[in-house]
Amino acid sequence: MAHNGIVLVVSVSIFRDDEVLIIRENKPTAIDKWNFPSGRIEYGEDILYSARREVKEETGFDVKLNGTTGVYNFISSTNNQVILFHFTGEVSGGLLNLEEDEILDSRWIKVNDLVKFDNEELREPRVLKQIIDNLLKERVHSISIYNEQLDK
């Protein structure tokens, strides 16, 4: 999408026991930055489907979405307005298989260790720190507030 546009994004914190998966990105706008698996919602795509698709593409995992920390509205480092829908979930299948060109590394980490990252290490640190704060304070809401897209 062109600069100064509105970009719709999904992001997922995948939990395993008391740890969450983070990935180190190698994208033109986020080289060597840590983030949760995330990506753009494609035209006509259901938000929940988009979240599961992005996780599968970036990590190889199938996920069961079970909550949301909310919707975040911010201006990105590329000067786009981003509306980000953040979900929580757990692995329901698949094997870790990082997307070759775009993901450099992954790590399972305790949520409270996420606060130790410097801003320079994180993609969009202001919004990531808001998400991390919501996770730490267990401000996670029911996924039922999202309605599946109706077929036309």
Side-chain angles (χ1 to χ4, degrees):
M1 183 173 282
H3 288 287
N4 299 318
I6 295 176
V7 180
L8 301 176
V9 174
V10 289
S11 173
V12 182
S13 294
I14 306 166
F15 284 89
R16 179 182 72 185
D17 301 321
D18 63 342
E19 294 182 318
V20 66
L21 182 71
I22 57 170
I23 56 171
R24 192 160 47 104
E25 295 181 323
N26 187 36
K27 298 175 183 174
T29 56
I31 295 174
D32 206 29
K33 301 285 185 180
W34 290 99
N35 196 7
F36 296 112
S38 60
R40 293 181 181 205
I41 299 170
E42 295 178 4
Y43 178 78
E45 191 173 49
D46 180 79
I47 293 171
L48 300 176
Y49 172 82
S50 181
R52 292 187 297 265
R53 177 187 53 76
E54 282 294 340
V55 168
K56 183 70 170 178
E57 288 176 5
E58 291 191 348
T59 70
F61 287 132
D62 298 311
V63 316
K64 176 181 185 273
L65 302 175
N66 54 26
T68 179
T69 64
V71 179
Y72 304 81
N73 182 8
F74 61 98
I75 303 300
S76 71
S77 60
T78 56
N79 209 30
N80 287 310
Q81 179 176 356
V82 176
I83 300 173
L84 183 147
F85 300 84
H86 184 78
F87 299 97
T88 60
E90 57 191 42
V91 175
S92 62
L95 297 171
L96 183 63
N97 182 21
L98 300 178
E99 190 173 29
E100 256 181 56
D101 296 331
E102 294 191 353
I103 309 299
L104 296 170
D105 196 7
S106 68
R107 184 185 303 170
W108 290 99
I109 186 171
K110 292 188 183 310
V111 175
N112 57 351
D113 287 337
L114 289 170
V115 298
K116 297 177 184 175
F117 282 89
D118 293 330
N119 283 358
E120 298 77 36
E121 296 176 282
L122 299 172
R123 181 169 188 179
E124 304 297 345
R126 285 190 334 231
V127 73
L128 267 180
K129 289 189 173 190
Q130 270 188 290
I131 292 169
I132 292 165
D133 187 57
N134 284 332
L135 292 171
L136 285 169
K137 293 179 178 167
E138 298 181 7
R139 286 192 296 238
V140 178
H141 311 283
S142 170
I143 194 110
S144 67
I145 65 170
Y146 289 91
N147 296 298
E148 294 283 348
Q149 181 173 306
L150 299 174
D151 291 331
K152 294 176 183 157

